[in-house]
């Protein structure tokens, strides 16, 4: 499977401080994914992509750079990342499950101001592909240039926006975008329509389960999902970290190794949050820097505020002691972690809806649709 990372900050950051330099950066994960469980294919080396937003004077569209070269072996990535800054960044390293090796199949995908990426896979994709493709309007059908299930999920997302009366072609208000609620509802509809296609075409086959860790942004707000279409299985891992600064740790005085690993830490100088990071796999080994996103939840970033909502559908359980097994995600080469961020084995482990972490000052359980919100302003 793949790995992705999202950065949303009040200020711009040098891409290399996220993508290249940290000891467990997204580039490092392309060849050394510590939490990857599929040892038959231990690398995420089937291409990569970075997408980032530039000055508003250059337009609302993101700049997207993709390549089929493994991230660890692309000198242009180092050249670009060491000289480019942005306040909203998507990064993705790919391990193919659907679609061949080509630039058009590398994430993130974009359309006007929107960017989208995926970690996981749509269940029974070859059986439902035709039904899904035929369900989207011609305009969004034509957006797909590659052959991955992920890009078709993006086309479905665009179709959901359009059918809700929000045209992806419409002019967005600078600094406001489409609004995080609109993005979240469209992403939930995307998940629901995928589940409906599978139920209609293949029924309840054992291999029809999907792993749908999505990330979407309009350049202002970000919405991510951690989701599996099962009531008994865990989803692939997803974490977030928030704080006031992302800072490189000073090396030890007695360290003379110029090739040392560069360690970063998320600092928190007050209760505010200037930076939010979301990642399939933590970028540092500081356990207290990262919070596990609960299985079958959405994570929304709006003005540096993090909101967590449960996804309430047929695979939802309101019981905090509900148990899920990690066997399915592991079989797909994915990491599965509990709320304490420890990797789970194939046995059943408690599914924690909520876990207080050191950097969270306020974390309130909510119901869907939007009434109260699970908010982290810390």
């Amino acid at each position: 499977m793949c790995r992705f990372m999202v950065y949303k900050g009040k200020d711009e950051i040098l891409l290399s401080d996220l993508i290249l330099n940290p000891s467990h950066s997204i580039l490092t994960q392309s060849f050394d994914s510590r939490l990857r469980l599929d040892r038959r294919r231990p690398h995420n080396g089937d291409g990569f992509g970075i997408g980032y937003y530039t000055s508003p004077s250059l337009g609302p569209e993101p700049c997207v750079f993709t390549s089929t070269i493994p991230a660890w072996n692309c000198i242009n990535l180092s050249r670009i990342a060491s000289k480019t800054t942005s306040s909203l960044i998507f990064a993705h390293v790919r391990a193919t499950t659907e679609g061949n090796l080509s630039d058009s199949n590398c994430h993130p995908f974009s359309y006007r101001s929107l960017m989208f990426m995926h970690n996981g896979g749509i269940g029974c994709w070859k059986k439902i592909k035709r039904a899904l493709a035929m369900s989207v309007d011609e305009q969004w059908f034509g957006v797909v240039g590659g052959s991955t299930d992920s890009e078709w999920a993006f086309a479905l997302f665009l179709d959901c926006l359009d059918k809700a009366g929000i045209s992806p072609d419409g002019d967005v208000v600078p600094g406001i975008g489409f609004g995080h609620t609109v993005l979240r509802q469209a992403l939930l509809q995307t998940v629901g329509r995928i589940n409906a296609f599978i139920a209609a075409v293949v029924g309840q086959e054992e291999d029809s389960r999907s792993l749908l860790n999505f990330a979407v942004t309009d350049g202002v707000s970000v919405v991510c999902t951690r989701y599996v279409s099962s009531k008994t299985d865990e989803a692939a891992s997803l974490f977030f970290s928030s704080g006031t600064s992302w800072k490189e740790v000073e090396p030890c005085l007695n360290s003379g190794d110029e090739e040392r690993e560069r360690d970063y830490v998320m600092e928190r100088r007050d209760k505010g949050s200037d930076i939010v990071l979301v990642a399939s796999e933590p970028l540092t080994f500081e356990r207290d820097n990262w919070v596990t996103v609960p299985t079958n939840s959405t994570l929304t970033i709006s003005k540096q505020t993090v909101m967590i909502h449960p996804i309430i559908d047929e695979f939802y359980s309101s019981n905090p002691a509900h148990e899920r097994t990690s066997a399915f995600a592991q079989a797909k080469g994915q990491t599965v972690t509990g709320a304490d961020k420890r990797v789970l084995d194939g046995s059943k482990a408690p599914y924690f809806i909520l876990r207080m972490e050191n950097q969270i000052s306020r974390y309130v359980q909510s119901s869907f649709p939007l009434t109260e919100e699970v908010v982290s302003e810390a």
Side-chain angles (χ1 to χ4, degrees), residues 121-158:
I122 296 177
C124 296
W125 171 240
K126 290 180 173 60
K127 295 181 180 179
I128 73 161
K129 180 179 179 179
R130 181 181 179 185
L132 187 152
M134 295 301 291
S135 75
V136 303
D137 287 347
E138 184 176 353
Q139 181 178 4
W140 317 123
F141 185 97
V143 165
V144 179
S147 55
T148 65
D149 55 346
S150 303
E151 192 176 12
W152 279 107
F154 181 41
L156 191 64
F157 170 80
L158 295 173

Side-chain angles (χ1 to χ4, degrees), residues 125-326:
W125 171 240
K126 290 180 173 60
K127 295 181 180 179
I128 73 161
K129 180 179 179 179
R130 181 181 179 185
L132 187 152
M134 295 301 291
S135 75
V136 303
D137 287 347
E138 184 176 353
Q139 181 178 4
W140 317 123
F141 185 97
V143 165
V144 179
S147 55
T148 65
D149 55 346
S150 303
E151 192 176 12
W152 279 107
F154 181 41
L156 191 64
F157 170 80
L158 295 173
D159 192 67
C160 288
L161 268 182
D162 196 22
K163 284 181 169 59
I166 310 294
S167 173
D169 283 320
D171 293 330
V172 295
V173 180
I176 297 177
F178 292 103
H180 63 85
T181 302
V182 168
L183 294 180
R184 188 171 69 90
Q185 293 289 348
L187 204 56
L188 289 172
Q189 290 173 20
T190 301
V191 171
R193 286 174 66 178
I194 290 171
N195 289 341
F197 288 127
I198 292 173
V201 175
V202 300
Q204 301 298 318
E205 292 183 13
E206 183 66 19
D207 64 349
S208 66
R209 295 166 292 180
S210 302
L211 291 168
L212 305 178
N213 283 16
F214 293 140
V216 68
T217 181
D218 59 359
V220 180
S221 303
V222 178
V223 181
C224 303
T225 57
R226 183 187 180 207
Y227 184 83
V228 59
S229 57
S230 168
K231 201 167 185 175
T232 58
D233 295 291
E234 278 283 5
S237 63
L238 192 67
F239 303 87
F240 80 91
S241 180
S242 61
T244 51
S245 65
W246 176 250
K247 185 178 180 181
E248 183 178 1
V249 177
E250 292 294 330
C252 297
L253 294 177
N254 60 357
S255 175
D257 184 7
E258 295 183 357
E259 298 299 322
R260 66 178 178 83
E261 289 187 336
R262 300 175 66 174
D263 294 321
Y264 283 68
V265 65
M266 183 70 79
E267 287 191 333
R268 181 172 297 282
R269 293 189 295 270
D270 52 48
K271 292 184 178 181
S273 179
D274 297 331
I275 294 171
V276 180
L277 289 173
V278 184
S280 302
E281 196 165 321
L283 306 185
T284 72
F285 299 113
E286 293 293 329
R287 186 177 297 271
D288 289 340
N289 273 185
W290 298 90
V291 180
T292 302
V293 178
T295 284
N296 286 21
S297 298
T298 61
L299 177 148
T300 303
I301 307 171
S302 175
K303 297 181 179 179
Q304 313 316 118
T305 297
V306 176
M307 297 170 279
I308 306 290
H309 295 87
I311 298 175
I312 300 179
D313 60 10
E314 66 267 36
F315 305 115
Y316 170 75
S317 173
S318 60
N319 180 8
H322 180 66
E323 292 186 340
R324 291 176 178 268
T325 175
S326 62

